[in-house]
Each structure stands twice: as C-alpha cells, then as structure tokens.
Amino acid sequence: MRERSKTESVFFCGECGFESKKWMGQCPSCHKWNTFCEEPVIKTTGSGRAGNRSQGTGMAKPVRLSEIDAAGETRYDTGFRELSRVLGGGIVPGSLVLVGGDPGIGKSTLLLQLAVNLSEAGRKVIYISGEESLKQIKLRADRIGQTDGDLGFLSETNISTVTALLEREKPDFAVIDSIQTMYTDEAQSAPGSVTQVRECAQALMLCAKQNNVAIFLVGHVTKEGTVAGPRVLEHIVDTVLYFESGDGGAYRILRSAKNRFGSTNEIGVFEMASDGLHEVENPSELMLAGRPTDASGAVVTCLMEGTRSMLMEVQGLVTETSFGMPRRQASGMDYNRLNLLLAVLEKRAGLQMSRYDAYVNIAGGMKVTEPALDLAVLAAILSSYRGIVVEADTIVFGEVGLSGEVRAVTQAEERIREAAKLGFSRVILPQYNLSRLKGSETTQISLRGIRNIGELSALLREDA
Ligand code: TYD
Ligand code: MG
C-alpha cells in the first residue's frame, strides 16, 4: 500500500499558486472556489530545480550599502511617454516585467512597438514568440512600421533554449510572448500549468538578473477555470502591468499593479488604430468626447490619476422605484460609496432617496477610487432628481463627509488648471481649497467654494 501512495502529485490553486497535498474545494489562501488542479511533483535532482539554481557553498559574504555601486543605474527610454511614466521613468536593466491582459487587447502589439522603439534607439532586442509564427509577426510588423535596428525574432517554446539564447546573445531587452506557452522539461505538467509557469518565470528571472537583460513577459488573464492565471507570477516578477480596455472601444489603459521601481498610481492611455497603438497625451478630451451638454444628470469632474489630472463625466439617473426595494447601481465607482452618499443625501439634503432607484456611471469605463469624486456624484444625482441641467462649462470636485460637509481634496490648483485648459469656465470646489489657493491661475475661471451639500443643492437651483 505504501508503494502505491507514492504516485507523486500535488494540487495547486490556479489563482494564487497555493500548494496542497490533497484536493480542496476552496483555496484557504485566496478563498476562491474550484481552483485546485492536480500536477505531478517535480523531481529535484542534485543540481537543483529548473537545473540552474546555485548550490549553497558556505562562502556567501554580505556587503555594505556603501560598497554597492548604483551610480550607473540608467533606465532605457521606451519611446512611449505613457509607458515610461507607468514604469516609473523607463525600463530598468535586468528587470522582469509582466504584462497581463485579456486576449486580443493588444499586448503583442504594444511589446512589438516597444521592441521596435528600443532597437531604433540603438539597443539590442530579441522578440521570442511561442504563440505566433515568424510570418504572423512579420504581418503585424508591417502594420506598425518596419525598423532596421538590431531586432531579432525567434519562434520557440522551450525555456532552456530561450535562456541559453539570451545568455549567448546578451541583448539589452527581450520579449517573451507568452509565458503560458513556455515549458521546461523538468516539470511533467502541460504548458500553462501552475508548475510550468512558475518554473519558467523563475528561470527567466535568474536569466534577467545574471545577464542584465530586461525581460517583458506576456501573461494572459484567464477567467476562472483555467489552469494558471498570472497571479502566481505576480510574486516572482519585479513589475506587473495590466493592459485593459476602458469601454470595449479603441482606447486602452495601462496600469501597474506592482512596481519595485516606481509608483503604482500612474496610468498610461493608448488608442488602437489600424497602424498599431498610439499614445493619448490628453485623455481628458477623449473622456469627454461626445458628451451631452444639455442633459440633466451629467456632471464633469476632475480627478487625479497619479501625477496627471483627468476630466471625466459622471452620469446619474434617478427614477421612481416601481417595486418595494429601490435599486442602486454603480459602474466605475464603489457600490458601497454610492450607498453611503445616497444616505447622506437623504439625511442632510432631505431627498427621499428610499423611494427612488439610483444609477451612477463614470463615462469612458474608468474605475475611480478617489474621494474627490463624491461631490460630482451628488451633483449628478441632484441634477437628475430635480431635472436640472448643470451648465456644461462646470467642473465639480470635492470629498463629502457623513454630516454632509464638503471636505478639501489634494492638488486643487492642478485640477483647476486642467479645467481651464479644456475651456471650462466655472469650478465648484470645497471652500477650504478655495480659501487656500494662490490665485495666479484662477483669473479667467469662476470659482465657487462650498461648505456642505446644502450649498451644492442651492447652487444647482441657480442653474435651473
Ligand atoms: P494583439 O496585440 O495580438 O493582442 P494580444 O497580444 O493582447 O492578444 O492585438 C490584437 C488586436 O489588435 C486584433 O484584434 C487586431 C488589433 N490591431 C489593430 O487594430 N491595429 C493594429 O495595427 C494591430 C497590429 C492590431
Ligand atoms: Mg498576443
């Protein structure tokens, strides 16, 4: 009996990579259901897993920070200002970056354009694809424009071949498209499984650090039920970028979920065209394109995404409830925050929200977590409730507290400047921010400071 129980396999959670000896319905680590799958155990040989891990020799010696030379730390410019900003100022040599996103979103296109940009800037670049044939890559390259820089292509899925090539050629930059298609002979499970993905990523991490080559990995975001989501990878790599579509249309948002070399607040905006991705340097214009100027329930606000200000339209719709329970729906903002704001409105402004359904939508598909959104949401709901059109040249921002007070937000000057730049002529903002403005950039624009939502309600009545 003992012999038979030696059929060696373990179970992994496909979401977070949690390892268990037996199958479980719910993962104790990430609490997802039905994510466990069985995989054979990797035989560890004397030379270590994945073949190239060094053995302990007892000779390691710590060094002092003052002895480490970091002066030569340069970053490669990506040729895309949007991408460089998200990365924290360019690509760090020897870093491992994961680019995740749904299939067809444009990951391969982005990385091919990046490879072209870097090779044109004189860097040595290798693009390794396990998904597409060289012919398919050529067809894509024809769409985005050719280069005569040092850019090599390889169609390969064996990770040992890939790392050997990178060791031999020592490029500055390499793309692996995608990590799910790579496999190592050391593990017996199928490519894309948790073990395979983890072993391949670790081999690439080692290769990146030892040869000082920056590697970008493509990872497919998988719906639940698939074997290995990039979750497992997130712990291994230096930086995780997500490439997503705002509203299912042509524009794409790049955001970082983890970054060892920069902030995770920054976003980059791109637009997919017939000749590849283009940067969108002024996303406010894009966000406001096609907005109605004479509809009630539409309010423009100015929010900060990292260091950049961005105008967005908040849409509110209030209708009478036809069943007992009022419906609430929030897209682009936190559902609980909406409920809280509606309660504040009911209690502090006397609106009978319990008799009305309320829907809020941030146009353009952005997901907003900034508190400065509060006042615009309330203005949109008030506007729809009363059927009052908020003047189209108005921007509203501010945080709202539980007693209905309007609280200060950060970077008010920057928000006002962005509003003025896009031709808005009136800003409704927290009084506290208004009284602390320097006053230099505020001459052509009318500023209305308010202290509580009662004042907001009164101000909107003036518009009617
Ligand atoms: P792709 O980069 O292959 O996506 P991913 O690698 O994330 O799966 O992009 C595929 C989509 O992008 C496809 O629907 C076609 C479109 N596309 C364009 O619209 N313009 C272009 O210039 C290119 C290259 C692709
Ligand atoms: Mg692809």
Side-chain angles (χ1 to χ4, degrees):
M1 278 310 282
R2 282 193 72 103
E3 286 307 304
R4 279 192 60 210
S5 67
K6 260 187 151 181
T7 42
E8 290 176 50
S9 68
V10 278
F11 294 85
F12 287 105
C13 168
E15 274 295 319
C16 67
F18 182 84
E19 189 176 327
S20 159
K21 281 236 153 36
K22 58 182 197 325
W23 188 87
M24 279 185 271
Q26 186 186 23
C27 173
S29 169
C30 68
H31 306 296
K32 292 268 164 56
W33 287 92
N34 258 334
T35 53
F36 274 83
C37 51
E38 185 175 9
E39 286 178 23
V41 167
I42 301 181
K43 302 267 190 316
T44 32
T45 58
S47 60
R49 281 159 97 195
N52 47 7
R53 241 170 268 176
S54 63
Q55 284 193 306
T57 58
M59 296 293 284
K61 185 172 160 281
V63 289
R64 288 167 195 269
L65 283 181
S66 55
E67 292 163 11
I68 302 172
D69 179 24
E73 221 275 323
T74 48
R75 288 184 184 234
Y76 307 151
D77 181 33
T78 63
F80 283 129
R81 240 183 297 167
E82 297 290 302
L83 177 59
S84 291
R85 197 183 43 240
V86 174
L87 287 169
I91 300 172
V92 176
S95 63
L96 186 63
V97 177
L98 173 69
V99 181
D102 290 329
I105 207 78
K107 301 179 294 297
S108 304
T109 309
L110 178 72
L111 293 184
L112 183 62
Q113 284 183 266
L114 174 60
V116 168
N117 287 353
L118 286 169
S119 69
E120 274 176 356
R123 311 254 170 228
K124 181 169 179 175
V125 181
I126 299 182
Y127 188 107
I128 298 151
S129 180
E131 304 214 320
E132 291 163 316
S133 64
L134 295 176
K135 209 166 174 183
Q136 284 171 307
I137 298 175
K138 168 117 175 73
L139 287 176
R140 178 180 289 118
D142 285 343
R143 291 178 78 169
I144 66 171
Q146 298 282 356
T147 173
D148 44 14
D150 189 355
L151 172 55
F153 291 94
L154 175 74
S155 184
E156 180 59 60
T157 53
N158 187 325
I159 202 72
S160 318
T161 315
V162 169
T163 48
L165 172 82
L166 295 180
E167 249 157 58
R168 200 171 62 240
E169 297 280 331
K170 294 216 182 343
D172 298 305
F173 176 73
V175 173
I176 311 284
D177 187 1
S178 64
I179 187 69
Q180 273 97 355
T181 55
M182 296 292 147
Y183 75 95
T184 165
D185 299 324
E186 320 260 330
Q188 287 136 21
S189 45
S193 64
V194 178
T195 320
Q196 286 285 1
V197 163
R198 201 179 47 197
E199 291 300 315
C200 290
Q202 268 161 356
L204 286 168
M205 185 66 166
L206 203 69
C207 178
K209 299 287 179 269
Q210 281 175 349
N211 303 296
N212 208 30
V213 40
I215 303 181
F216 273 47
L217 302 175
V218 170
H220 294 295
V221 171
T222 46
K223 300 265 180 294
E224 61 275 1
T226 38
V227 208
R231 275 279 133 136
V232 188
L233 291 166
E234 287 181 1
H235 304 292
I236 301 174
V237 301
D238 293 312
T239 301
V240 179
L241 304 180
Y242 276 101
F243 203 39
E244 21 183 70
S245 152
D247 57 353
Y251 78 90
R252 305 277 183 270
I253 294 163
L254 188 69
R255 60 174 77 246
S256 79
K258 163 182 176 180
N259 194 351
R260 288 191 179 139
F261 315 110
S263 137
T264 53
N265 293 325
E266 300 288 353
I267 63 161
V269 185
F270 294 85
E271 193 172 6
M272 182 65 97
S274 58
D275 56 347
L277 289 155
H278 295 271
E279 295 181 88
V280 177
E281 302 210 340
N282 194 345
S284 295
E285 266 171 24
L286 189 80
M287 290 291 161
L288 298 183
R291 99 191 143 98
T293 49
D294 54 356
S296 65
V299 173
V300 180
T301 186
C302 187
L303 301 169
M304 302 302 299
E305 286 283 355
T307 53
R308 183 164 60 179
S309 52
M310 209 153 142
L311 299 186
M312 272 171 235
E313 187 196 334
V314 181
Q315 300 170 332
L317 180 67
V318 177
T319 56
E320 232 169 295
T321 305
S322 36
F323 302 104
M325 273 285 281
R327 267 177 68 85
R328 272 92 178 80
Q329 195 172 320
S331 51
M333 74 173 288
D334 181 40
Y335 177 76
N336 293 324
R337 188 81 197 164
L338 172 63
N339 276 329
L340 187 142
L341 291 173
L342 291 174
V344 172
L345 209 53
E346 173 134 18
K347 182 91 177 170
R348 310 286 169 192
L351 266 63
Q352 293 210 314
M353 288 314 300
S354 51
R355 291 207 288 118
Y356 291 88
D357 294 342
Y359 306 88
V360 171
N361 175 38
I362 313 292
M366 293 293 291
K367 290 181 185 57
V368 182
T369 50
E370 221 207 333
L373 174 71
D374 293 351
L375 199 60
V377 169
L378 290 187
I381 289 175
L382 272 169
S383 154
S384 175
Y385 184 92
R386 298 224 177 95
I388 302 170
V389 176
V390 178
E391 296 281 331
D393 64 350
T394 307
I395 294 273
V396 183
F397 63 83
E399 180 179 348
V400 175
L402 289 188
S403 11
E405 81 277 19
V406 175
R407 312 173 68 103
V409 296
T410 55
Q411 290 166 284
E413 278 105 347
E414 175 57 37
R415 297 178 208 253
I416 296 168
R417 218 173 300 134
E418 177 78 5
K421 202 168 85 191
L422 278 120
F424 286 80
S425 54
R426 185 170 71 147
V427 175
I428 300 177
L429 73 166
Q431 176 61 38
Y432 188 88
N433 281 125
L434 178 60
S435 42
R436 269 152 197 80
L437 283 181
K438 308 273 179 331
S440 53
E441 64 286 293
T442 56
T443 39
Q444 340 79 359
I445 201 159
S446 132
L447 300 172
R448 301 293 298 264
I450 55 171
R451 291 180 194 79
N452 52 55
I453 58 170
E455 291 183 21
L456 173 70
S457 175
L459 202 60
L460 294 185
R461 276 219 178 86
E462 285 173 22
D463 280 3

